[in-house]
Amino acid sequence: MSAAVLRLHRSLKVCYFWPLSLHLSSETLAHLLSVYHQSVKCAYFSTSSSFNVGSKSDFLCQFSPFTSSSSGSNSNERRMLAVGISRMIKLEERDLLIRLSRGFSPVVIAEIMVLLQERQVAFAFFKYAFRDHSDFLVRCYCVVVHSLVAKNFRQLAQDVLTWMIRGIGEERSYVLVWREFFSTAMDFYILDALMRSFTNAEMASCALEVLDRMRGVGGRPSLSAICCLIKLLLRFGDYSSVWMLFKDMIFKGPIPSIYVYNAMILGFCRRGCIRIAESLLYVMRKFGCEPDVYTYNILINAYCLRGWTWEAFSWVHLMFESGCTPSFATFSTFINAFCKEGNIAEANKIFHWMQELGVCPNTVLYNALMDGYVKAREMGTANVLYEEMRSKGVAPDGVTFNILAAGNEKYGNEQDGNRLLRSFSVMGSVQDSTLPDIHIGGLCWAGRLDEAFELLGFMLDKGLSLSVISFNSLILAYSKAGLEDKAFEVYNFMVNVGFTPSAPTYTSLLLGLSKIGRLQEAKSLIYKMIQNGYPISRAAFTVVLDECIKKGDMMGAQGLWDEMEMLGMAPDVVAVSAFIQGLSKGGFIQQAYDMYLKMLSKGLVPNNFVYNSLISGFCNCGELDEALRLELEMRNRGLLPDVITFNIIIKGFCKQGRMKSAMATYMEMLRCGWTPDNVTYNTLISGYCKQLDMLNAENLANTMQNSGWGPDITTYNIQIHGYCRSRRMNRAIMMLDELVSAGIVPDTVTYNTLLSGVCRDILDHAMILTGKLLKMGFVPDLVTTNLLLSNLRKHGLPHRAAMWAQKLSEISFEFDEITHKILDRAYNDLEDVESTKEITGKSLFLDLLMYMTYDFIYRNRVIQKMSSNPIGFTDNQSSMNVEAVCS
């Protein structure tokens, strides 16, 4: 034992101790990502010869030398620890516990950890004991590490070291743990544990220095330790240290194994350096190491992420030539890639080709293809695939349930959703371990979120097996519902019971923040996640990125994009496509096109989604020629325009009134084998109605019905608007009757369109039509108000328009820009005596409609106030909840 250790042993008598207590940071989100951040308060070691008896509810306190019960362990670990200590007492090994309760001793702590036997329980005991970050106690726990390594508990020693150095930080770890205590160590296992711990704590420079010491004393580092260090260095982008390590392995040993090569290939692929990764595959052969299925899968996945799915097949051929058989992951990668590209037909071919090769699909593969069908809105095929999965004895899991439940909610029907729930409820149809996750997910999809939360707590109390999927399902459901405070509450609960959040956990939290407009906090959360090394995915960036673009925050979006590239998280086709779509939708078409050119320069292959986003952006800006040029370029790249592409171009022509070109595109769509949908027909009908060509509009409506696409509410609203504009109110009323007879419920657009016709029509017709609207339960909105205020002014009643606007403002009715323009004109009319018109029966009738509208809005506001929930969150309370999630 070293001299430093012996001196420390002699000095371990009664001493002062500073236990830690949890606190909240005052800054938003600071608490979210430092879950166990602690502050120091003063207390003493106990020197009593009897057990310390603390809180009556704390069983463990009586075995501790500390007067405070605060510790770094969570409730789940404390339960395990209580069971472990109870077992020690039953085995009459209580002497050590008594000695510890009388005074702190690192040697006794080490002996108790050994007697606890199970690594998880022993580590929980250490976290319970490690309550102070003082220099003295850090040195004491270095003694614990020495003892554990000497007793051959090296993995437990690594756990202790990793936990300790993470808690005290890199600078103090380097000085106290390495330079002062272990820098003169000669024991290989001590140095190995230290190197691994620094690597686990992401302190690469310290780990490299320990490695130098290990080689200096003649030790030969293990392959697994170097492999972990290489992964860390690649993640940090420290390529020079990676190549230095690789060179040392070649000349000094140990010779790189397949695991080291795979780690390097994976790291370079993640940083976007695919060509370097490919060259390593040929280098490894020179040193007598043949690539395995994992090597090929890494490269195949990297190709697919960049959109080089077809090129990735060359690696499959190389696999067969080298005698390497593709695995489940190989086929799953291709299926996922084709599904993301919308090429479900090719994904299905891969699925069947795999079975021809004798590879039976498992749950993961079925889930991948099922997800593709759901995203393609082919719920019928997805449900058939699920039935095939069950018939072949492949057990569905929680992921299967979430995929189908989401699909049935968005694109299916209620009967299919109910049947899915019933089938998953049948015992024996799924793995027992996934049943709790499925039950929680089922309640979430049914909208019974509070019940799901209660069930989750009940299952944990009963000791049922749960996975992170249950928590993620609930967090996502609360986030989608806009209940971010509840989502954060679930997150806190998840951490407190000992579950480790995954990348989807944080993505769901970001979704919740972004959805309610708290973008600044969402961006802060991302940066804190990066700073603290929490798991973060491209999806997390994409969620916040999309919301930034929607809000017009281009600087924020660009900052996130730059951060993503700096992290070496090479953007894939999906991430770039989402960015381009967001820019195009936000009207930033030039920036979207620049991103498209950048995408091409990086070797990423644009898909239909990218081209459709750009074509739509150019059409919306009126640059139809540029849109058509892109459509031609799309064809030249081997991509065929789909239904969405044709619909976008048809809309562009209709917007410019070029109906002949729009119909020519429609005919080309038919020649290419595509079936026009209701969007196609509604767009063309709208184009003809805008030109008041109601005959062609009617003909297209008939064609639509004959082709199997029944007219929907949008179709009727378009036609009613056309008839109202052409002053054919009788025909508009007939369309309203036809709509109701077809079992379609009129919406506010229907009512406002007809009300606009009422304002233009003669008084007798207007009164009859108004009676119909009132009978149908017409619900006025802001558009209705603007319509009536505008017509009151036009019919010579500007003073009444101003009066009703004043009354509406008194009940906090919000106006928009159009309302203010109408009122400005009304006030100008009041000042202009010559603009005064004769009051007619029509103007009085409009005033009556305005009164009815005001009366409805006023009564509705009163009812809402009476029925509103008196308990609500203030902005400050909401921010505090966000901070609590990050803790």
Side-chain angles (χ1 to χ4, degrees):
M1 190 175 289
S2 67
V5 178
L6 290 171
R7 285 196 303 272
L8 197 55
H9 271 302
R10 297 189 189 105
S11 66
L12 288 177
K13 297 181 180 179
V14 178
C15 46
Y16 291 104
F17 175 63
W18 292 265
L20 307 171
S21 62
L22 294 175
H23 78 284
L24 296 178
S25 170
S26 59
E27 296 181 8
T28 305
L29 295 170
H31 190 50
L32 175 60
L33 292 166
S34 55
V35 180
Y36 301 109
H37 190 61
Q38 302 172 324
S39 62
V40 179
K41 294 181 179 179
C42 191
Y44 297 96
F45 281 171
S46 170
T47 57
S48 171
S49 61
S50 61
F51 285 178
N52 287 329
V53 181
S55 171
K56 290 181 181 179
S57 61
D58 190 356
F59 167 77
L60 299 175
C61 186
Q62 60 185 309
F63 306 110
S64 171
F66 312 134
T67 57
S68 170
S69 62
S70 63
S71 72
S73 57
N74 58 46
S75 57
N76 190 42
E77 290 172 334
R78 290 166 71 86
R79 282 196 293 268
M80 289 192 305
L81 188 52
V83 173
I85 288 178
S86 300
R87 188 185 299 117
M88 283 182 64
I89 294 172
K90 288 180 181 178
L91 296 173
E92 298 185 355
E93 294 170 343
R94 67 187 75 185
D95 292 345
L96 287 172
L97 296 171
I98 295 172
R99 286 172 58 191
L100 181 64
S101 69
R102 291 173 177 170
F104 177 79
S105 168
V107 177
V108 172
I109 287 179
E111 290 179 3
I112 292 173
M113 291 174 71
V114 170
L115 288 174
L116 285 170
Q117 296 179 354
E118 294 181 21
R119 177 182 171 187
Q120 194 175 8
V121 179
F123 184 44
F125 178 77
F126 169 76
K127 287 198 283 183
Y128 178 76
F130 186 38
R131 308 183 183 197
D132 186 9
H133 295 88
S134 67
D135 291 359
F136 176 76
L137 280 187
V138 168
R139 295 185 183 100
C140 288
Y141 290 121
C142 289
V143 176
V144 173
V145 172
H146 253 294
S147 300
L148 290 173
V149 171
K151 295 176 186 295
N152 206 27
F153 283 80
R154 293 194 293 271
Q155 288 185 324
L156 184 56
Q158 289 172 35
D159 294 337
V160 169
L161 266 174
T162 302
W163 173 268
M164 183 172 64
I165 62 181
R166 276 178 178 163
I168 66 176
E170 185 168 5
E171 185 176 348
R172 289 185 67 208
S173 296
Y174 179 76
V175 175
L176 291 174
V177 179
W178 171 237
R179 298 305 302 171
E180 291 187 11
F181 207 93
F182 288 116
S183 61
T184 58
M186 302 288 289
D187 190 313
F188 168 80
Y189 294 112
I190 289 286
L191 293 172
D192 182 68
L194 195 62
M195 175 185 164
R196 290 175 185 271
S197 299
F198 276 128
T199 303
N200 292 338
E202 299 186 346
M203 300 176 185
S205 58
C206 297
L208 287 169
E209 196 162 326
V210 176
L211 178 61
D212 287 341
R213 170 66 182 173
M214 190 183 295
R215 289 194 183 276
V217 297
R220 187 174 184 175
S222 68
L223 277 170
S224 59
I226 291 187
C227 189
C228 293
L229 183 55
I230 285 174
K231 289 179 184 178
L232 179 65
L233 292 169
L234 282 169
R235 191 152 63 83
F236 288 169
D238 189 355
Y239 300 128
S240 59
S241 296
V242 170
W243 290 119
M244 180 191 72
L245 272 179
F246 183 73
K247 182 180 177 182
D248 284 346
M249 291 178 75
I250 296 295
F251 292 104
K252 300 177 184 179
I255 298 299
S257 67
I258 186 65
Y259 302 106
V260 174
Y261 284 111
N262 285 347
M264 292 179 68
I265 291 170
L266 177 62
F268 282 116
C269 284
R270 283 180 173 170
R271 299 288 299 186
C273 307
I274 295 180
R275 299 307 176 200
I276 296 177
E278 287 178 0
S279 64
L280 272 170
L281 185 136
Y282 298 104
V283 168
M284 63 191 291
R285 282 199 170 110
K286 291 183 179 179
F287 290 97
C289 187
E290 282 296 319
D292 62 4
V293 66
Y294 298 104
T295 317
Y296 289 111
N297 284 346
I298 292 166
L299 289 167
I300 288 169
N301 185 60
Y303 268 62
C304 289
L305 286 175
R306 282 186 164 258
W308 305 343
T309 312
W310 290 107
E311 289 85 347
F313 272 107
S314 61
W315 292 109
V316 178
H317 297 315
L318 193 59
M319 285 176 79
F320 281 116
E321 289 173 8
S322 60
C324 186
T325 305
S327 65
F328 286 110
T330 315
F331 297 109
S332 179
T333 302
F334 279 111
I335 289 171
N336 276 316
F338 280 123
C339 287
K340 283 181 180 179
E341 294 172 9
N343 197 343
I344 308 300
E346 283 301 326
N348 194 43
K349 285 181 183 177
I350 296 289
F351 188 75
H352 288 95
W353 174 52
M354 168 192 72
Q355 294 178 68
E356 290 173 6
L357 293 174
V359 180
C360 296
N362 59 6
T363 306
V364 174
L365 286 166
Y366 272 108
N367 287 345
L369 188 57
M370 227 177 294
D371 189 47
Y373 280 120
V374 168
K375 287 175 179 173
R377 304 190 180 191
E378 297 183 24
M379 278 310 302
T381 312
N383 288 326
V384 168
L385 192 64
Y386 167 64
E387 294 299 333
E388 177 190 316
M389 175 184 185
R390 293 184 63 198
S391 66
K392 290 188 176 181
V394 180
D397 59 7
V399 177
T400 316
F401 175 80
N402 283 329
I403 289 169
L404 291 174
N408 281 309
E409 184 195 39
K410 292 179 182 178
Y411 315 121
N413 54 58
E414 190 175 347
Q415 291 78 13
D416 287 338
N418 292 335
R419 188 166 59 250
L420 175 70
L421 281 171
R422 284 195 300 271
S423 70
F424 269 86
S425 300
V426 176
M427 292 301 294
S429 62
V430 294
Q431 300 171 9
D432 291 342
S433 59
T434 64
L435 277 173
D437 295 334
I438 291 170
H439 285 308
I440 298 292
L443 289 172
C444 290
W445 284 110
R448 295 155 61 184
L449 305 185
D450 291 338
E451 287 181 51
F453 199 0
E454 289 178 14
L455 178 61
L456 190 144
F458 174 80
M459 287 179 169
L460 284 172
D461 289 340
K462 294 297 181 183
L464 294 177
S465 175
L466 282 172
S467 74
V468 72
I469 294 174
S470 293
F471 292 94
N472 287 349
S473 297
L474 196 51
I475 290 171
L476 179 60
Y478 274 127
S479 296
K480 283 184 174 180
L483 303 171
E484 79 287 352
D485 298 292
K486 294 292 290 183
F488 295 156
E489 184 182 341
V490 177
Y491 171 88
N492 274 332
F493 180 59
M494 173 185 185
V495 172
N496 289 336
V497 296
F499 282 86
T500 303
S502 61
T505 312
Y506 293 108
T507 302
S508 298
L509 290 173
L510 289 167
L511 174 66
L513 289 171
S514 302
K515 191 169 184 178
I516 60 173
R518 290 162 65 177
L519 283 177
Q520 190 56 47
E521 290 174 81
K523 287 187 283 185
S524 298
L525 173 55
I526 278 192
Y527 294 131
K528 287 287 183 182
M529 287 169 68
I530 295 167
Q531 181 181 341
N532 289 273
Y534 279 60
I536 185 168
S537 62
R538 292 181 181 88
F541 276 103
T542 305
V543 164
V544 184
L545 195 72
D546 192 44
E547 288 299 324
C548 284
I549 295 168
K550 286 178 181 176
K551 300 289 184 184
D553 182 10
M554 291 307 302
M555 289 185 64
Q558 190 61 53
L560 285 170
W561 186 264
D562 294 341
E563 191 70 37
M564 189 176 179
E565 291 187 325
M566 284 174 60
L567 282 173
M569 196 176 288
D572 59 6
V573 175
V574 176
V576 178
S577 301
F579 197 12
I580 289 174
Q581 186 202 34
L583 289 168
S584 298
K585 279 188 175 179
F588 305 101
I589 187 60
Q590 191 54 53
Q591 291 93 323
Y593 188 71
D594 291 342
M595 180 57 66
Y596 163 75
L597 295 177
K598 189 176 180 182
M599 177 184 187
L600 294 177
S601 68
K602 288 190 172 185
L604 293 173
V605 180
N607 52 23
N608 280 45
F609 186 83
V610 173
Y611 280 110
N612 287 342
S613 298
L614 289 169
I615 291 169
S616 177
F618 280 117
C619 285
N620 291 335
C621 294
E623 299 183 35
L624 196 53
D625 291 340
E626 188 64 27
L628 293 173
R629 185 191 67 77
L630 273 172
E631 191 257 355
L632 181 61
E633 181 182 320
M634 178 182 179
R635 291 175 184 269
N636 291 336
R637 286 183 175 273
L639 295 172
L640 293 176
D642 54 19
V643 175
I644 298 173
T645 317
F646 283 112
N647 285 344
I648 291 168
I649 294 172
I650 288 171
K651 184 180 178 181
F653 281 127
C654 290
K655 194 175 180 180
Q656 295 186 359
R658 297 163 61 179
M659 292 310 298
K660 286 186 178 179
S661 298
M663 285 303 296
T665 306
Y666 165 74
M667 297 306 295
E668 184 185 355
M669 182 180 183
L670 293 171
R671 284 195 298 271
C672 290
W674 294 105
T675 303
D677 57 13
N678 56 352
V679 176
T680 316
Y681 288 110
N682 287 339
T683 304
L684 288 167
I685 292 169
S686 177
Y688 279 120
C689 286
K690 284 178 182 176
Q691 295 187 347
L692 302 182
D693 187 353
M694 299 310 296
L695 180 61
N696 275 321
E698 289 173 5
N699 290 337
L700 266 171
N702 292 331
T703 303
M704 177 182 184
Q705 195 154 16
N706 293 334
S707 64
W709 289 95
D712 54 15
I713 185 64
T714 305
T715 317
Y716 282 109
N717 285 343
I718 291 167
Q719 290 183 276
I720 288 171
H721 185 252
Y723 288 125
C724 289
R725 284 188 64 224
S726 58
R727 299 185 180 277
R728 297 170 61 184
M729 290 305 298
N730 289 336
R731 190 74 183 92
I733 294 170
M734 288 175 63
M735 288 296 296
L736 176 64
D737 293 336
E738 185 181 327
L739 180 155
V740 175
S741 300
I744 299 174
V745 180
D747 58 11
T748 53
V749 177
T750 318
Y751 293 132
N752 288 326
T753 303
L754 287 166
L755 190 61
S756 177
V758 165
C759 296
R760 296 192 187 99
D761 204 10
I762 60 176
L763 184 58
D764 290 343
H765 286 176
M767 293 177 70
I768 293 169
L769 184 53
T770 302
K772 273 182 173 288
L773 295 178
L774 291 173
K775 190 175 179 181
M776 290 179 179
F778 170 43
V779 178
D781 58 5
L782 178 60
V783 176
T784 315
T785 306
N786 287 344
L787 184 64
L788 291 172
L789 290 175
S790 177
N791 277 280
L792 278 172
R793 185 193 71 80
K794 290 177 182 177
H795 284 81
L797 296 175
H799 60 290
R800 298 296 291 175
M803 185 272 289
W804 287 119
Q806 178 63 30
K807 282 188 169 293
L808 287 167
S809 64
E810 289 172 0
I811 60 173
S812 302
F813 185 80
E814 293 185 5
F815 296 146
D816 62 3
E817 188 178 347
I818 296 172
T819 318
H820 291 298
K821 287 181 179 179
I822 293 168
L823 293 176
D824 287 341
R825 291 173 184 172
Y827 293 136
N828 290 334
D829 289 349
L830 288 172
E831 295 174 2
D832 186 3
V833 180
E834 295 181 1
S835 66
T836 305
K837 298 179 182 178
E838 181 184 355
I839 297 177
T840 62
K842 184 65 174 291
S843 59
L844 292 175
F845 176 67
L846 290 170
D847 193 51
L848 173 63
L849 287 177
M850 189 66 235
Y851 166 76
M852 294 167 66
T853 300
Y854 168 79
D855 183 60
F856 177 87
I857 294 170
Y858 175 77
R859 285 187 289 107
N860 195 44
R861 291 294 171 94
V862 172
I863 292 170
Q864 284 180 352
K865 284 183 179 180
M866 291 175 64
S867 61
S868 62
N869 185 358
I871 301 174
F873 289 106
T874 64
D875 290 340
N876 290 337
Q877 287 172 324
S878 184
S879 295
M880 286 174 66
N881 281 332
V882 176
E883 291 176 9
V885 173
C886 299
S887 64

